[in-house]
Amino acid sequence: MNRDAARVVLEMTCDILDSFGKTYWIDSGTVLSAYRDKDINIYDHDIDIRTIREEWSTGEVAELVKQLWLAGYVHINDTGDAWEQILGHHVEDVLLDFKFCHRDDKHVWYYCFTPSAVITHLYDRKYIDNIETIDLLGRAYPCPGPVEEYIETHYGPEWRLFKVRAEDAGETDLTWDFAKDPPICYTQEEFMALKGKNVCFARHSGRYESFSARTVT
């Protein structure tokens, strides 16, 4: 990923999000590289931004997609029940991974769709209730706090090794998840066992699947 193009696209995207006045934060590889490298990781393949689903109306999401299109995201698609994720490919060859998170009184979570499974990233909502800012190339961006604790929860204790060499450039967060089994990552069955029934619906391969199991204690 071109560092300068990614910086410009990240700034522009966050300017758009600021205009909506919603909660959002940089996440995954973007917040990791901001914290660890004090830079944008050229071995990454996207910019990662999250928001809270319940804060957005359908009309606002439609307007967001319009604004992203006008700003140069030439291919935009959504994934999931109504909207779980917006993927945008910018003319500067930068990919946006914008996910809508679910929230209850204990947790925040979002879905990652693979060809064969729905993987859930689930973490304590304290990280989002205590949004901090982190400097990245001269701009302060919102991020989960405390940021290092969140990054270790997200990637596990080996987070300093994620995408540090050119040969790692093809690795995604999901391939890391499968290889390293970080604390944030749950299979569909594990998530069902934790969160109780009907916490949400997730669409995968054209199907809607209801999560239903015992309630977390």
Side-chain angles (χ1 to χ4, degrees), residues 170-187:
E171 185 169 55
T172 67
D173 288 304
L174 279 178
T175 55
W176 178 274
D177 290 342
F178 287 124
K180 304 296 183 179
D181 194 25
I184 200 173
C185 188
Y186 288 79
T187 66

Side-chain angles (χ1 to χ4, degrees), residues 152-200:
E152 182 154 335
T153 299
H154 188 110
Y155 286 98
E158 297 182 64
W159 58 268
R160 291 176 180 84
L161 302 178
F162 181 72
K163 288 192 176 183
V164 295
R165 298 172 300 273
E167 55 265 35
D168 300 332
E171 185 169 55
T172 67
D173 288 304
L174 279 178
T175 55
W176 178 274
D177 290 342
F178 287 124
K180 304 296 183 179
D181 194 25
I184 200 173
C185 188
Y186 288 79
T187 66
Q188 182 176 345
E189 291 74 19
E190 290 168 337
F191 180 69
M192 289 168 62
L194 279 172
K195 290 307 298 173
K197 67 178 183 177
N198 296 328
V199 291
C200 62

Side-chain angles (χ1 to χ4, degrees), residues 1-212:
M1 184 166 64
N2 181 281
R3 172 183 177 272
D4 293 332
R7 177 185 61 80
V8 171
V9 173
L10 176 61
E11 289 180 350
M12 173 271 297
T13 303
C14 290
D15 286 343
I16 293 172
L17 290 169
D18 285 339
S19 73
F20 284 89
K22 308 298 185 185
T23 303
Y24 77 89
W25 60 94
I26 61 171
D27 199 73
S28 299
T30 304
V31 72
L32 170 60
S33 58
Y35 182 75
R36 182 190 64 193
D37 309 322
K38 309 296 189 291
D39 204 346
I40 288 173
N41 188 349
I42 62 171
Y43 304 130
D44 209 345
H45 67 286
D46 62 6
I47 56 174
D48 298 286
I49 303 176
R50 311 291 180 246
T51 191
I52 299 297
R53 177 175 174 174
E54 65 193 27
E55 294 187 8
W56 294 80
S57 69
T58 301
E60 288 171 327
V61 173
E63 180 62 24
L64 171 63
V65 170
K66 175 184 174 181
Q67 293 301 319
L68 292 172
W69 173 267
L70 292 173
Y73 283 100
V74 294
H75 177 70
I76 301 172
N77 65 282
D78 61 359
T79 303
D81 171 20
W83 11 263
E84 299 288 349
Q85 178 184 36
I86 293 174
L87 290 174
H89 299 266
H90 199 270
V91 291
E92 296 290 347
D93 199 29
V94 176
L95 174 66
L96 169 67
D97 178 0
F98 183 75
K99 288 189 172 72
F100 294 88
C101 299
H102 303 268
R103 177 175 62 185
D104 63 16
D105 59 346
K106 292 183 178 180
H107 297 100
V108 173
W109 66 94
Y110 59 83
Y111 302 112
C112 301
F113 297 87
T114 78
S116 59
V118 179
I119 304 299
T120 305
H121 284 189
L122 173 77
Y123 48 91
D124 195 306
R125 67 171 286 168
K126 70 178 183 180
Y127 298 114
I128 305 308
D129 288 342
N130 298 286
I131 290 285
E132 299 178 349
T133 59
I134 188 168
D135 181 82
L136 178 56
L137 302 177
R139 175 164 173 165
Y141 292 96
C143 69
V147 62
E148 182 170 325
E149 181 182 325
Y150 173 75
I151 289 171
E152 182 154 335
T153 299
H154 188 110
Y155 286 98
E158 297 182 64
W159 58 268
R160 291 176 180 84
L161 302 178
F162 181 72
K163 288 192 176 183
V164 295
R165 298 172 300 273
E167 55 265 35
D168 300 332
E171 185 169 55
T172 67
D173 288 304
L174 279 178
T175 55
W176 178 274
D177 290 342
F178 287 124
K180 304 296 183 179
D181 194 25
I184 200 173
C185 188
Y186 288 79
T187 66
Q188 182 176 345
E189 291 74 19
E190 290 168 337
F191 180 69
M192 289 168 62
L194 279 172
K195 290 307 298 173
K197 67 178 183 177
N198 296 328
V199 291
C200 62
F201 290 83
R203 187 177 70 187
H204 178 61
S205 301
R207 303 189 309 274
Y208 285 87
E209 298 172 310
S210 173
F211 294 119
S212 179

